[in-house]
Each structure stands twice: as C-alpha cells, then as structure tokens.
Amino acid sequence: GGLFLPNQGRLIVAGYAGTHDAGVSVWYSDNGGEQWDLANVSGSSPYDTHTSFENVTESVLVQLPQSGNVLLSMRVDSSSPRRAALAEISSTLPLFRESAAPSGARLPSTKSGCMGSLISSDDSVYYSMTIAKDQSRTNMTVLMSEDDSKTWTHGTVIYAGPSAYSDLTTLQNENELGIAFERDAEDHSTCSGQSCTIVFTTFPKTLPPYSPP
C-alpha cells in the first residue's frame, strides 16, 4: 500500500522485502518519487532488521485521522494477530515502531492469514477482513474505529459466505464507502472456494455496534 502526506510532501510505500521467506519494508520519498529511501523500523521479532519486519507479508498503510500518524498493518500467516507499527508524523525521518502501535491495531487473522484493507474517512478508520469464529476465510466484515485504531466497537458483516481479499475506497457520496472483495461463486459447480469472483458493494459510513463472533 502507499500514501501521500500532503503537509509533508512525502510519499510512503510499503512492500515485500527482507532476508527471510517473507518480510515488509517501508520506502519514502520527499521529492515526488525521484529518490527513495528506506524507513527505519523497530520490531518485536528477533528476525527483524533495522529496515525490515520479517516473517510477515501483505501490508497496508493508513494515516490516522486524529493524530496524523501513519499506521502500518502486516499479515501474519498463522492464527496469530496481525503485526502493526506506527510512525509519528512529527519525525523528520520516519521510524515505524511496533511497540508504538495501538494494541487494537493487532487485529485477528485467519489460520492461513489473509490480506485486509485500511482506510480513513472523516474522523474514523475502517478495516475490512474476514472474521469467523473458526478462523476460516468467511464473513467479510468491515470494522470502524473512532479512536485512531485503539478500539473497534462498530462494524458490519458485508457478506457471510466464503470470502478473502478486499479493498476499501472512498466515494463521491460522502455518506458511504465502497468495498471490492473476493467471494465464492453463486454456482458452485463452476468454481469452488472463496476467490471465485470479485464483487463491489457500498455501505454507510455510520456502522452499528459490533461484537466479534
């Protein structure tokens, strides 16, 4: 994922890197993308280096609407929670610290791991992912945080069936957000699994109180 921070004129991109099978690094540019530098990171794993979080994969960035700080969320390929790190916007040189991330940002993962999407709108943060009691790739859910990802007290199930990757977007209608996500086919004789087709739908920004399954 990538971000543009207009007040700093900074581009930030997170992606695959690292010395092991999987890892995530963050690059930033202060001259419109002509030159890129690696951000420093500080993680909790003994495998992490000063420029990469190790043993994690698909990553997403979001600028938190209240503090302006940048949150990095990373997929973990197990039933362990996602790893997260925070960079303070006041820093001249970005440092993503896992210890600084709100505990609420370490959201649950499926047994096999799954990509999630983060977006901010107005004063809230939204996170889409599959959340199922048996940790399967089902129950495409959108959660909403009103305190910069510390807690997620509101949410809604977009689709209760098999589903997987998702991507959130803002819309011209300022009262709604959009989500594209993978799901199973209506005709299971043509395709089986949670990634048979990609569908798009909208939902209201104001979400009801939510309790996990």
Side-chain angles (χ1 to χ4, degrees):
L3 283 178
F4 175 61
L5 309 180
N7 291 339
Q8 291 75 32
R10 173 168 289 174
L11 293 165
I12 303 181
V13 175
Y16 284 115
T19 58
H20 289 75
D21 290 340
V24 167
S25 289
V26 182
W27 293 263
Y28 68 97
S29 172
D30 292 329
N31 56 9
E34 293 183 12
Q35 178 182 344
W36 293 88
D37 295 302
L38 272 170
N40 287 327
V41 308
S42 175
S44 61
S45 169
Y47 299 104
D48 296 338
T49 72
H50 70 284
T51 57
S52 65
F53 296 102
E54 299 294 331
N55 299 316
V56 287
T57 56
E58 297 146 347
S59 56
V60 61
L61 294 160
V62 68
Q63 185 170 24
L64 300 176
Q66 297 174 29
S67 67
N69 294 330
V70 177
L71 179 68
L72 169 68
S73 177
M74 298 164 284
R75 165 182 168 176
V76 177
D77 283 335
S78 70
S79 57
S80 301
R82 287 173 169 79
R83 294 179 66 184
L86 190 78
E88 296 181 1
I89 199 65
S90 58
S91 301
T92 304
L93 298 177
L95 169 62
F96 283 84
R97 293 184 297 131
E98 193 167 1
S99 61
S103 59
R106 300 177 181 90
L107 290 161
S109 182
T110 64
K111 292 178 182 177
S112 60
C114 194
M115 185 271 285
S117 179
L118 270 171
I119 196 172
S120 64
S121 184
D122 300 328
D123 289 329
S124 299
V125 182
Y126 299 82
Y127 207 132
S128 64
M129 73 191 82
T130 54
I131 302 179
K133 191 173 183 179
D134 62 357
Q135 296 185 341
S136 62
R137 287 190 175 189
T138 57
N139 266 22
M140 177 54 62
T141 303
V142 175
L143 301 179
M144 181 179 74
S145 172
E146 298 177 300
D147 55 10
D148 271 4
S149 79
K150 296 180 180 69
T151 60
W152 304 85
T153 56
H154 292 70
T156 187
V157 176
I158 301 295
Y159 177 64
S163 42
Y165 286 24
S166 59
D167 200 11
L168 294 166
T169 184
T170 55
L171 301 170
Q172 284 187 322
N173 183 342
E174 295 182 353
N175 296 316
E176 293 184 330
L177 294 172
I179 179 172
F181 64 96
E182 297 176 327
R183 54 156 286 183
D184 58 336
E186 293 186 8
D187 182 358
H188 287 185
S189 67
T190 61
C191 178
S192 62
Q194 68 272 359
S195 302
C196 291
T197 186
I198 298 174
V199 297
F200 178 83
T201 190
T202 63
F203 60 92
K205 286 183 179 179
T206 303
L207 298 180
Y210 174 83
S211 297

